[in-house]
Amino acid sequence: MNAQQLPDECVLRVLDYLWEEPRLHEFFERRSQHAHVYDQQRVHTVLRARSVAPMHVCRAWRQPSVRRYYRTLVVDLRSQNAPLPDAAVLARHVLVLANSVQSDSGLSMQFPDAHTLGLCVFDSQDACPSVSHGLASALHSALPNLSSIWLQCVGSIGQFAQTVVEDLSARSSARVTAMHFESTESRSCVSGIIRSHAHNLQFLSLGKVSGGVLSTLVVHKGKQLVYKRLKRLLFAIPSNTHIYADVPEYTTSSFPQLEELYFDDAHSTGLPREEWFAPLFDVFLSHPTRLKYLTFPIVYNTQRCVSRDNCPELVGLRHIKCCWATGAWSSQQRESDSTRVLSAIASIPSLECYVHPSYIARLSHVPSDIMCTRLWRLDLYGWPLTVNNMCWVLRVFEQLQTLRVTLVQSEDVDDVWQPTSSVLKCLTVGSADSGLEVRELERLAGIIESMPLLSRVSLYEHAYAFVSEAAVTWARDTRDLQITNNDSGLRSGQSFRSPLAQLTTAASANSPPSTSWYLIHPLLIDG
C-alpha cells in the first residue's frame, strides 16, 4: 500500500499531526482545566499557521484534507480577510472576531451547514444599538442552521456584546452554551450576560472573579439562580477575596448537573485564610453533586470535606490552597487532619486520581473503611509519611500505579505492614527532614525490589545512593528499572529539574510551596 491508497482515517491522522488538531479538539471538546485553551485568538493562530500543502499531494488526499481544513473557519471582521466563498459550504464551526467599531461586511456569504458560532468580541464599549442589531442580523443570515453560540469577551466589556448575543438568540433557535472571560472582576454587565443565559450554559470560564460578582451569579435580587445544564466551570479568585456573607443557605444546589469544577490558584498569593475559602465550599459542595473532576481549596479542622456524601461520583480530585480553621469543632477532634482527609477520600468508590501536594500533620491512625478500590494515582508529597504508612497505602490501594510521597523516620515500629501491590509502575520519594535511617532505608529497598512491574523510581539523594548500591545484589532483573536522583536533577545524562526538588527548595527557604496547577501534575482529564 502506497500513500495514495491510505484510508481516509489514516490520512486524517496525518493531518491532525500536521495541523495541530489536538489543540483544536481541546477547544471544541471543552474538556481542559486550563482557561487559555478556550481563547479564540489562540485557535485563530493555529488555523492561520496551517499549511495547504497536504491538499495538493494527490487526488486521494485532496478530498479528506479539504473537508478537514475548511471544517473550522475564522472570519475576522476587524479586517477585510474573509474566507473563500466555496469554503463556506464546508464549514461546520465559524469563529467570528469582532468589535463595536467595525462593519459586518465579512459576512456577506452563507455558511449553510455550520452549527456552532464562536463569537469573540474585543473591547466592546457601548455602541449605537443599530451596530449591535446589524451584526446580529448579519450573523443570523450567514448561519441559518446555527444551534450553539460560544461567547468570548476580551478587554473592556460593555453592552455591545450582550446586545448582539441577546438579539441573535431572539432571531434564531440557537442557545448560548459557552462563555469565556479573561476577568469578571467588578463587571456588572458580565453578570447580566451570564444570568440571562444561565438556563442554557453548559460551559463557563469566568477568569479572575471577585467575591461580589461570584455572589451575584448565585443570588440575584434575593432569588437563587440555577444553572441546570452547566457541566464545566472554571474560575480564579485573587488574594484577599471571598464570597460575601449575604449569600443565603439554600436547600438545593445552584449547579445540579456540574461535572467539572476547576479553581485556578495562580492569581491567589499569600497565606490562605478560612474566611476566603470556606464560603466557596458552602456554595459549590455543601449539597450532593455529580462532580467527576474537582480542583478546589481545602480547609482543615472543619467538617467541610470532599467525601462520598457530597461527591459520590468523583473520579479525579486535586486539593490546593490548604488553610487551617479554628473553633470549638476543631479543638474537639482527636483525629489528625491527614487521617480525616484520607478517610474522606477513601470513602469515594469511583475515585481514580488524588493529588494533594502540601504539608499536613502526621497520620494519627490509618483509616479502616476503604471503599476506593479504583485509585491508580496518588500524590501525597508533603505528607510526613513513614515507610510503614507507605506500605499500608500500597496494601489497601491495590490498583495503584503511580505514587508520590514524602518519607520521614518512623517513631513506632509496631504493626509493620507488608506491601502487596503488584501493579505499581512509578514511585517518587522525597524527604522532609534529615532522611531515613539505615533500617528504614533497607525496608524501602526491599519494597522496591519486591515490585515486579516497577519501572521508574525517583528518590532523594541519600536514599538514591543507598538503593542504587543495594540494587546490585537484587535477585530481580533491574534492566527495566530506572532509578534516578530527584535532588541532582539528572536523568539519562540530561538536565532535569524535578517538581519535587523545586518544592523542597521552596520549603527549605521557609516559604510555602507553590501549588499552582502549572507546576503539579494535572489531573488526567483531557480526552
Side-chain angles (χ1 to χ4, degrees), residues 77 96 98-102 104 107 117-122 124-125 127-140 143 146 149-153 158-172 174 176 179 193 197:
L77 298 182
V96 175
N99 56 31
S100 58
V101 296
Q102 296 293 334
D104 55 7
L107 289 172
L117 166 65
L119 179 60
C120 182
V121 181
F122 294 83
S124 67
Q125 300 289 353
C128 178
S130 62
V131 177
S132 305
H133 296 310
L135 178 57
S137 176
L139 289 171
H140 176 57
L143 298 125
L146 183 64
I149 303 171
W150 298 352
L151 175 65
Q152 175 183 352
C153 294
Q159 294 296 323
F160 175 72
Q162 183 174 3
T163 304
V164 171
V165 171
E166 292 183 352
D167 193 354
L168 181 58
S169 300
R171 293 170 183 266
S172 66
V176 180
M179 291 186 182
I193 297 175
H197 302 278

Side-chain angles (χ1 to χ4, degrees), residues 9-26:
E9 292 79 4
C10 295
V11 174
L12 292 177
R13 291 291 297 273
V14 175
L15 296 176
D16 285 350
Y17 174 77
L18 293 175
W19 289 340
E20 296 192 74
E21 282 290 323
R23 297 177 69 177
L24 299 180
H25 288 321
E26 282 187 322

Side-chain angles (χ1 to χ4, degrees), residues 340-361:
R340 190 157 51 249
V341 171
L342 198 57
S343 299
I345 69 107
S347 71
I348 307 174
S350 57
L351 194 65
E352 297 180 5
C353 174
Y354 181 55
V355 179
H356 185 170
S358 175
Y359 174 77
I360 193 172

Side-chain angles (χ1 to χ4, degrees), residues 374-414:
R374 302 180 185 177
L375 193 70
W376 66 270
R377 178 183 174 192
L378 183 61
D379 186 342
L380 300 179
Y381 180 81
W383 292 42
L385 301 179
T386 65
V387 175
N388 206 35
N389 294 152
M390 187 181 75
C391 291
W392 173 84
V393 167
L394 293 170
R395 187 179 184 89
V396 298
F397 300 115
E398 297 179 350
Q399 301 302 315
L400 208 58
Q401 299 181 29
T402 301
L403 177 62
R404 189 167 176 251
V405 295
T406 299
L407 294 183
V408 297
Q409 183 61 37
S410 175
E411 299 176 354
D412 189 358
V413 297
D414 296 335

Side-chain angles (χ1 to χ4, degrees), residues 223-283:
K223 294 183 179 180
Q224 180 187 20
L225 295 174
V226 179
Y227 298 76
K228 60 182 180 180
R229 291 188 174 91
L230 192 65
K231 300 289 186 181
R232 300 177 186 91
L233 174 62
L234 294 79
F235 69 97
I237 289 186
S239 300
N240 307 324
T241 188
H242 57 86
I243 292 184
Y244 295 147
D246 59 357
V247 176
E249 295 184 6
Y250 290 105
T251 57
T252 59
S253 173
S254 292
F255 310 93
Q257 300 298 320
L258 195 62
E259 296 180 356
E260 301 176 21
L261 174 59
Y262 304 117
F263 176 99
D264 182 356
D265 64 329
H267 304 286
S268 180
T269 59
L271 293 176
R273 298 170 58 181
E274 175 188 3
E275 60 265 30
W276 298 353
F277 299 130
L280 288 177
F281 184 99
D282 296 338
V283 168

Side-chain angles (χ1 to χ4, degrees), residues 280-461:
L280 288 177
F281 184 99
D282 296 338
V283 168
F284 292 107
L285 299 173
S286 59
H287 302 287
T289 69
R290 301 187 65 180
L291 283 169
K292 291 181 171 59
Y293 298 98
L294 174 64
T295 298
F296 211 71
I298 179 173
V299 181
Y300 297 137
N301 298 345
T302 74
Q303 294 171 294
R304 298 178 177 91
C305 64
V306 177
S307 67
R308 183 180 56 178
D309 294 334
N310 53 3
C311 297
E313 303 176 29
L314 203 61
V315 175
L317 170 62
R318 178 170 173 257
H319 271 142
I320 57 172
K321 287 296 179 187
C322 311
C323 60
W324 283 261
T326 58
W329 186 87
S330 61
S331 63
Q332 297 171 2
Q333 300 309 300
R334 296 183 178 181
E335 290 184 332
S336 66
D337 290 320
S338 54
T339 296
R340 190 157 51 249
V341 171
L342 198 57
S343 299
I345 69 107
S347 71
I348 307 174
S350 57
L351 194 65
E352 297 180 5
C353 174
Y354 181 55
V355 179
H356 185 170
S358 175
Y359 174 77
I360 193 172
R362 287 196 180 202
L363 291 170
S364 54
H365 62 272
V366 294
S368 55
D369 297 326
I370 306 296
M371 303 183 66
C372 178
T373 58
R374 302 180 185 177
L375 193 70
W376 66 270
R377 178 183 174 192
L378 183 61
D379 186 342
L380 300 179
Y381 180 81
W383 292 42
L385 301 179
T386 65
V387 175
N388 206 35
N389 294 152
M390 187 181 75
C391 291
W392 173 84
V393 167
L394 293 170
R395 187 179 184 89
V396 298
F397 300 115
E398 297 179 350
Q399 301 302 315
L400 208 58
Q401 299 181 29
T402 301
L403 177 62
R404 189 167 176 251
V405 295
T406 299
L407 294 183
V408 297
Q409 183 61 37
S410 175
E411 299 176 354
D412 189 358
V413 297
D414 296 335
D415 299 326
V416 176
W417 292 89
Q418 295 299 327
T420 59
S421 173
S422 60
V423 298
L424 189 69
K425 297 179 180 179
C426 181
L427 174 64
T428 300
V429 176
S431 175
D433 47 27
S434 58
L436 302 178
E437 296 178 358
V438 173
R439 179 177 177 179
E440 297 290 80
L441 287 173
E442 290 175 344
R443 286 196 66 195
L444 176 61
I447 293 169
I448 296 173
E449 182 184 9
S450 67
M451 300 292 173
L453 298 182
L454 192 59
S455 59
R456 294 178 56 193
V457 178
S458 181
L459 305 170
Y460 68 93
E461 186 171 8

